[in-house]
Every structure is written in C-alpha cells, then in structure tokens.
Amino acid sequence: MENLMFVYHSCKVIWTLLVTILGYASSLPVGDDSICAAEELAKYSIVFTGKWSQTAFPKQYPLYRPPAQWSSMLGVTHSSDYSMWKKNEYASNGVRDFAEKGEAWVLMKEIEEAGEKIQSVHGIFSAPAISSGTGQTSTELEVHSRHPLVSFVVRIVPSPDWFVGIDSLNLCEGDHWMEEVSVNLFPYDAGTDSGFTFSSPNFATIPQDTVTEITCSSPSHPANSFYYPKLKILPPIAQVTMVKLKKTQLGLPAPYLNLPAKSNEIIDSVSETPLDCEVSQWSSWGLCKGLCRKTGTKIRTRFVLLQPANNGMPCPNLDEETGCEPENCV
C-alpha cells in the first residue's frame, strides 16, 4: 500500500511540473523572435525611397489623372503571432481597402484588435505620402525584444490593388539589434482586383485570389503594365532602409533629421529599361487602284499601340502595298 501511495504522489508531482512548463511555454511568442536576447528596446529611422521612374518603367507610365505616386506608409512592429500580409495567402479586408483605395481605417482596426487580443503588436508607425514616383519619405519606429518584427505596406498610385511592402522582417540577431538593413522592394498584387494596368477600372476578383508578386513575366499578358518579357527581373520599384538610432550620454535618442517627402527627382542612377514598339494587327486590304487590264495596287495599314523607349526596338512600317488586278472593269 505504501508503494502505491509513493507512486501516486510521484506521478502527481511530475504532472504538476508538466502543466507548469507547458503553461509557461504557451505564453512565449512563437517563431524566431522568441530567441531575441538583445536589449529590450531599440529605435530605428526608416527611409522609404521611391524608384518608380519613367526611365526604369516606361510602359504605360502614369503621367496624369493621377500621375505616378506613392501613398502614405502604414507599418507595425510585432511578434510572430501577428501577420499584416503574406505572399501566397489571402489579404485581409484591411489590406484590401488599403491596396485598392489607400484607406487605412479597417487595417488600423485589425492591428489594434490583434494587439489587444494576443498582445502581438508593440507599435504602429506611418510616413507621409510621396507625390511622384521618385522621392523619399521617412519616420521612426520602435521594436521590442518580444516584438522584433517589422511589417508595412505602401500603395502604388494609380493601380488596381498593387502595393509594395515588407512582411515580418526580424531586426534582432541573437543578442543584438541589426545596425542597418536595406531591402529592395518589388510590386505585389493583393488579389482583390482583376485590373492589368495602372489605370484599370475597378473590377473585383471573385473569388478572391492570394497575394502574389508581380514580375516582368507574370501576369503573362501584354496588357500588364509591368510586362517586360525581355527582362530577367524587374528593377526595384522602391527601397527601404532602416538604421538603428544611437543614444546620447543622457540616454535620449540622438538627433534625427526627419526627411520631408521629396519628389520630382531620381534618388540614384537607374538602368534604362528598353521598351519595344508595339503595333496593331494589319487592317484588311483596301480597294485595288489602277487602270483596267493593267496591274494595280492595294494597301493595308496598322497603327502604333506603344511607342518605343530607352533604345527599344523601333516601330516597323505601318503600311504595306501589293499588286492586284482591278475589279469591275468594263
């Protein structure tokens, strides 16, 4: 009987320990951010640089109504329990509204609810819009050792539902914060609108598709504004740089020059993207002109769909002539 009681008490102790350990483990953040051993807080400057120029992206480049530009940046620092958006997954209602219309209210609400429900969000940050395709905008953000991930979105304007951004970039490396990180950005399709061009009318994607990266060959359609089949990869349409801010002897953040939103300038040199001429199909042959019982001529024509740019292939002849025999001669 004593042996049975000893076994019972031993099992009870082991069970209690297991429950305690599992309960503690379940309260930890999930993913790589759980092993961040850096100092608790760190501040960064974040600079977004638009590189959407007519030189790099000549096809259908928006010049007016509205011209090429960038929306404001909306971002969040968080743990791996939260995700603002992910490639190959469905966009939330908030990301859809932001990507299609630049409206941030629903996305802000989603972020706030995630922070309140599972305490996965440390802070929200935003930066002003840029009024042209090239330029800079900046702000500051704060990360926490339990919330070392950074995500943000910036809408491409005009576009159906296209955006650039970062998904869950970890600024913590073991026992320290990264001093500086720079990432080239490429366009994404939110999967909620079916337009091919920058100025496409609103045409909802039903059923909704997942978030996909737009490349020089995908979507594989000549109407696609980013369709450059001769390129291996699109040039970066934007870039983001984050620099860790140092503290002064007083323990305050070092002075930081907050760059105002700039426009109408290319920040650095970009390679020219050649754009070949595109022409329509030939029209039908016109009437045969000439004297009866002698060889006449008839003509067919075509027109330019897209003018060449940046040393792209020039346009071919737009009319063609061939011999014929006049009809209805008397």
Side-chain angles (χ1 to χ4, degrees), residues 72-74 93-95 97-99 101-112 126 153:
S72 59
M73 172 193 290
L74 181 60
N93 291 335
V95 172
D97 286 356
F98 192 88
K101 298 173 284 187
E103 296 177 357
W105 303 113
V106 176
L107 183 54
M108 289 281 290
K109 188 66 176 176
E110 291 173 352
I111 295 171
E112 290 173 3
S126 63
V153 287

Side-chain angles (χ1 to χ4, degrees), residues 157-281:
V157 184
S159 74
D161 60 341
W162 302 342
F163 69 95
V164 298
I166 278 181
D167 166 38
S168 303
L169 175 66
N170 195 341
L171 294 179
C172 182
E173 288 186 322
D175 62 351
H176 67 278
W177 295 104
M178 298 174 68
E179 291 296 325
E180 181 175 348
V181 59
S182 185
V183 181
N184 287 328
L185 304 177
F186 300 89
Y188 280 89
D189 186 323
T192 61
D193 193 291
S194 298
F196 272 124
T197 67
F198 297 119
S199 57
S200 292
N202 184 33
F203 186 66
T205 302
I206 301 175
Q208 180 177 334
D209 203 351
T210 57
V211 174
T212 55
E213 184 176 352
I214 300 172
T215 70
C216 55
S217 58
S218 179
S220 183
H221 194 291
N224 175 16
S225 292
F226 287 111
Y227 187 68
Y228 297 93
K230 290 190 175 182
L231 296 181
K232 291 183 178 180
I233 186 174
L234 285 175
I237 196 170
Q239 185 182 62
V240 66
T241 300
M242 284 168 274
V243 179
K244 185 174 179 290
L245 298 178
K246 302 187 182 299
K247 295 180 179 179
T248 65
Q249 293 179 346
L250 297 176
L252 300 174
Y256 170 67
L257 179 61
N258 189 26
L259 298 174
K262 300 178 184 177
S263 60
N264 299 323
E265 59 176 302
I266 298 177
I267 303 306
D268 55 5
S269 60
V270 295
S271 59
E272 291 187 346
T273 299
L275 185 64
D276 296 340
C277 177
E278 294 182 13
V279 295
S280 67
Q281 297 294 321

